[in-house]
Amino acid sequence: MQRRDFLKTSSIALSYIGFFGVLPLGAKENHLIGFKALPASTQDAVIVPEGYEVKPLISFGDPLFSDAMPWSEKKIIDKNRIINATRVFGDNNDGMALFPLNNNRYILVVNNEYINPEWLFSDNGKNMDSSKVAYEQNLLGVSIFEIKQTKNGFFKVVLDSPYNRRITAHTPMQISGVAKGHKSMQTQADEKGELILGTLNNCANGQTPWGTYLTCEENFDNFFGASDSNYQFTQSQKRYGMKARSNYGWELDCRFDVSKNPNEPNRFGWVVEIDPYNPNSTPMKRTALGRFKHENVEIVLSKEGYVVAYMGDDEADEFLYKFVSKEKFDSKNPKKNKNLLEEGTLYVARIQGENLSGEGEWIALNYGQNGLDSTNGFYSQADILINTRLAGSIVGATPMDRPEWIAADPKGEFVYATLTNNKKREMADAANPREKNIYGQIIRWNPKGKNHLNTKFKWDIFLLAGNPMQYPNDLRKGTSNITSENMFNSPDGLKFDKFGRLWIQSDGDYSNKGDYAGMGNNQMLCANPATGEIKRFLTAPIASEVTGIAFSQDYKTMFVGIQHPGEKLAPSHYPDGGDSTPRSTIVQITKKDGGIIGS
Ligand code: FEO
Ligand code: CA
Ligand code: CA
Ligand code: CA
């Protein structure tokens, strides 16, 4: 879009009803949101609306097994503490999902995205050594544990349940799909390229109709470095953000030193499928879904039963993706369903339009098509899957403002995606309509013919986040459904409940100053897609992010993730108070009258 078009767009009425011009879920849902909205907050607390109660379920370091040491403020890292890290709830909880058992019992599966060395170690992680690295490697991954509802309606963790399990940076995982065995997947420790140790930077998640959990590997590059200062990073390694010094000092472990193990990073950046009902199952890295910085996976079934998985790659100017399975889901054939993510077609989005709406298409990333061949450095389908970002650029995918979560409405008609922000954007376009986008937006699309197999779709912008008080006269004010009462920045977590409420979680600037004045701490909001109404439902502690959401089957308990309170040594003591170390925590929320959350 040219500069003058950008200005023209800024003067149009910014309507949340947008391109579709119709209410996607029907006007009768006008009264979907029943609670009284919260004001912005800068308090060191989780606050929920009047008539609701909130309570921690579990915090970083809490035991999953009775033989684990309880959480301790002590920062001594010895052998016992390193082993203990595999027996407790990991750090930085992010995406999560509930898997029902019976009698108000569930398995809760939670990603542990990364670690906060500034809080883990007495030197704030300034001088890393192999013990500290080993401790961190055991604190991330995935935590799986049973929870049970008690008489007061709240849930508690069931210690020592046979389902309880920790998955870490060392847990063996199989490679599935055509990248299995490829030479780029082979290492000294795994000459066949078939078995990987661990999963890294598990951001958000997905849940399959056949009862498995999908954990998404996002910023894996943060864990890799190169000890040899002469090491030359390849074009692909650079595109994935690889650099000489890792963020965490893990190149002390030679597996994470790319100058010694150049293929090890190729074994991360995947979607990993886990069967939580079988604690002995081996997680599967699903290479058919491509390698990038995966945020989450939202699955819808096409009318015919094909599995359609929508995914975003969270980095400035990266892409939106869609996977379609080769085989159909068959509820009567659980054994076959287990491998539906083994094979299929991966597509990337090309998006066009004007005035915040338009059309788009999904372009297949197939070897031999659209320039994906040896002339551009691709020698097989495995090459394409391992270097998905490069393939997306070759076929002309549209660079987006950092795709985060994707959520489909309960009818499976509209698919929404958060584009969190993109401070690097130099040229606005239809779907990413602001240069130096500091606030983010939510885009939505529906496939032509309401058929998710269709490669054509229509789209519009559901909301542009913004600050109408600071910038009343241009696109930075946001769409008309953003007001001084509900403003926020950097939408990230996104999920529909079964009634059609759209829950939006923020991971943005919490300074409450300047461009962000009036927004307060990070928060969770509830939107009515039929009317565009947006109300603030939860405000989070100091320097935390709200990420991860799950509901009990009756929708009377909501689980919400509070990640990294007090990051970078900000003055939070959540949840324990006093002068305690802040800890990432999952909270549970109920309505005092026992009603449906949000009603
Ligand atoms: Fe882990 Fe893109 O957030
Ligand atoms: Ca995060
Ligand atoms: Ca996120
Ligand atoms: Ca984010």
Side-chain angles (χ1 to χ4, degrees):
M1 201 195 296
Q2 299 296 308
R3 179 79 195 162
R4 65 175 180 279
D5 294 330
F6 172 72
L7 292 171
K8 194 172 75 191
T9 309
S10 67
S11 65
I12 64 165
L14 298 174
S15 163
Y16 48 82
I17 292 173
F19 180 73
F20 297 106
V22 291
L23 305 176
L25 294 173
K28 69 177 189 296
E29 279 132 338
N30 271 351
H31 303 292
L32 203 57
I33 304 177
F35 61 87
K36 190 173 158 217
L38 289 174
S41 163
T42 54
Q43 292 182 57
D44 193 28
V46 177
I47 301 171
V48 291
E50 237 172 73
Y52 285 81
E53 281 186 286
V54 58
K55 204 175 143 166
L57 172 74
I58 191 167
S59 298
F60 161 52
D62 286 346
L64 301 178
F65 300 91
S66 52
D67 64 4
M69 292 187 273
W71 165 251
S72 156
E73 291 280 340
K74 286 198 195 105
K75 293 180 176 173
I76 301 156
I77 310 305
D78 57 14
K79 208 172 155 193
N80 287 337
R81 197 79 187 276
I82 294 168
I83 294 167
N84 196 63
T86 66
R87 311 290 283 169
V88 300
F89 184 52
D91 203 357
N92 273 277
N93 48 269
D94 204 306
M96 60 179 154
L98 286 165
F99 292 83
L101 294 166
N102 54 39
N103 299 331
N104 297 329
R105 294 163 55 227
Y106 294 87
I107 304 169
L108 180 54
V109 188
V110 188
N111 290 342
N112 296 115
E113 189 180 23
Y114 61 104
I115 53 268
N116 292 109
E118 72 271 33
W119 287 112
L120 290 180
F121 307 118
S122 48
D123 67 353
N124 312 115
K126 283 193 191 90
N127 298 301
M128 291 301 288
D129 58 31
S130 53
S131 296
K132 288 173 175 167
V133 170
Y135 182 53
E136 290 186 340
Q137 289 174 344
N138 283 347
L139 288 178
L140 46 65
V142 182
S143 295
I144 303 174
F145 51 96
E146 185 180 330
I147 59 171
K148 189 178 178 193
Q149 198 166 24
T150 60
K151 282 192 190 112
N152 64 14
F154 285 108
F155 284 79
K156 65 169 196 185
V157 174
V158 180
L159 290 179
D160 304 319
S161 159
Y163 298 105
N164 292 6
R165 179 181 189 187
R166 272 300 315 284
I167 287 170
T168 70
H170 297 287
T171 306
M173 331 210 140
Q174 283 181 31
I175 306 176
S176 132
V178 298
K180 178 178 176 175
H182 188 270
K183 65 177 188 330
S184 303
M185 300 292 271
Q186 297 167 0
T187 62
Q188 283 160 19
D190 174 27
E191 290 176 349
K192 289 184 178 163
E194 293 181 352
L195 194 77
I196 297 169
L197 295 183
T199 181
L200 292 176
N201 215 98
N202 305 78
C203 185
N205 66 302
Q207 198 165 12
T208 67
W210 52 95
T212 59
Y213 182 79
L214 303 174
T215 182
C216 300
E217 297 180 334
E218 194 190 25
N219 301 309
F220 59 91
D221 56 306
N222 288 344
F223 299 91
F224 288 91
S227 63
D228 176 356
S229 55
N230 293 319
Y231 182 77
Q232 295 290 315
F233 287 94
T234 64
Q235 183 201 5
S236 179
Q237 285 172 334
K238 287 183 196 159
R239 178 70 181 267
Y240 285 87
M242 308 290 298
K243 53 194 181 305
R245 287 200 62 182
S246 75
N247 293 32
Y248 297 101
W250 283 24
E251 57 270 46
L252 285 169
D253 172 350
C254 70
R255 183 153 72 97
F256 296 91
D257 181 345
V258 284
S259 48
K260 296 189 179 128
N261 274 299
N263 283 346
E264 189 68 13
N266 294 337
R267 294 145 65 86
F268 298 89
W270 303 105
V271 171
V272 185
E273 185 171 10
I274 298 170
D275 179 359
Y277 292 104
N278 178 0
N280 299 315
S281 58
T282 303
M284 305 290 281
K285 296 219 177 185
R286 296 300 188 187
T287 65
L289 278 62
R291 176 170 169 265
F292 43 92
K293 296 189 184 179
H294 281 278
E295 183 73 21
N296 84 331
V297 183
E298 179 73 339
I299 289 185
V300 292
L301 291 175
S302 78
K303 287 192 186 92
E304 304 85 352
Y306 292 99
V307 179
V308 180
Y310 289 103
M311 303 173 285
D313 181 354
D314 180 8
E315 190 133 67
D317 303 317
E318 290 296 341
F319 311 134
L320 288 164
Y321 293 89
K322 172 175 100 161
F323 166 86
V324 178
S325 63
K326 186 176 176 221
E327 305 287 339
K328 290 180 202 173
F329 173 70
D330 176 359
S331 58
K332 294 185 198 78
N333 190 347
K335 206 174 156 197
K336 186 183 132 193
N337 294 335
K338 288 222 175 293
N339 283 316
L340 282 172
L341 300 181
E342 173 91 15
E343 215 180 331
T345 306
L346 184 63
Y347 300 83
V348 68
R350 194 188 286 158
I351 297 175
Q352 284 125 1
E354 54 183 350
N355 293 345
L356 312 183
S357 62
E359 304 202 348
E361 65 181 308
W362 295 105
I363 304 156
L365 298 176
N366 285 339
Y367 179 64
Q369 297 174 11
N370 301 312
L372 298 176
D373 53 33
S374 59
T375 58
N376 285 306
F378 297 99
Y379 296 91
S380 64
Q381 187 62 26
D383 255 347
I384 292 169
L385 296 175
I386 294 166
N387 303 291
T388 305
R389 285 182 165 183
L390 302 182
S393 291
I394 297 288
V395 305
T398 301
M400 306 299 287
D401 286 347
R402 291 187 55 199
E404 299 244 35
W405 290 48
I406 300 181
D409 72 44
K411 292 179 185 168
E413 290 180 1
F414 285 78
V415 183
Y416 291 63
T418 49
L419 302 171
T420 197
N421 59 54
N422 184 357
K423 291 158 196 167
K424 292 183 187 160
R425 179 166 291 277
E426 287 173 3
M427 178 104 77
D429 65 20
N432 307 277
R434 295 179 291 196
E435 295 158 14
K436 298 191 175 54
N437 174 12
I438 58 172
Y439 296 125
Q441 65 263 27
I442 297 180
I443 186 177
R444 68 180 165 192
W445 62 87
N446 73 338
K448 288 223 166 134
K450 295 185 181 176
N451 178 356
H452 288 280
L453 301 186
N454 202 316
T455 55
K456 300 273 168 48
F457 59 89
K458 286 189 170 187
W459 65 270
D460 75 354
I461 298 281
F462 174 64
L463 69 82
L464 288 176
N467 192 328
M469 312 312 288
Q470 293 282 321
Y471 300 110
N473 299 319
D474 63 53
L475 276 185
R476 288 173 294 180
K477 71 183 176 194
T479 32
S480 58
N481 50 347
I482 302 296
T483 68
S484 61
E485 303 295 302
N486 67 10
M487 57 187 177
F488 65 98
N489 71 89
S490 306
D492 188 337
L494 194 70
K495 197 176 182 69
F496 275 95
D497 65 28
K498 78 165 178 183
F499 308 97
R501 293 181 199 89
L502 179 60
W503 298 89
I504 304 165
Q505 301 177 320
S506 81
D507 168 23
D509 188 301
Y510 39 71
S511 64
N512 202 34
K513 288 190 191 120
D515 292 336
Y516 308 98
M519 296 180 178
N521 293 349
N522 277 309
Q523 54 198 277
M524 185 164 75
L525 305 107
C526 182
N528 180 345
T531 62
E533 178 186 29
I534 299 166
K535 281 182 166 183
R536 188 180 289 121
F537 179 79
L538 175 150
T539 55
I542 290 172
S544 68
E545 158 188 353
V546 185
T547 186
I549 177 168
F551 292 93
S552 61
Q553 284 183 301
D554 60 10
Y555 286 83
K556 292 179 175 178
T557 309
M558 173 193 250
F559 298 88
V560 175
I562 303 297
Q563 194 188 45
H564 62 68
E567 70 172 349
K568 299 184 187 133
L569 303 176
S572 172
H573 302 287
Y574 182 81
D576 302 320
D579 59 0
S580 64
T581 298
R583 295 190 285 157
S584 293
T585 295
I586 295 172
V587 297
Q588 45 184 331
I589 299 164
T590 58
K591 214 176 162 190
K592 284 179 187 162
D593 67 4
I596 305 284
I597 303 298
S599 64

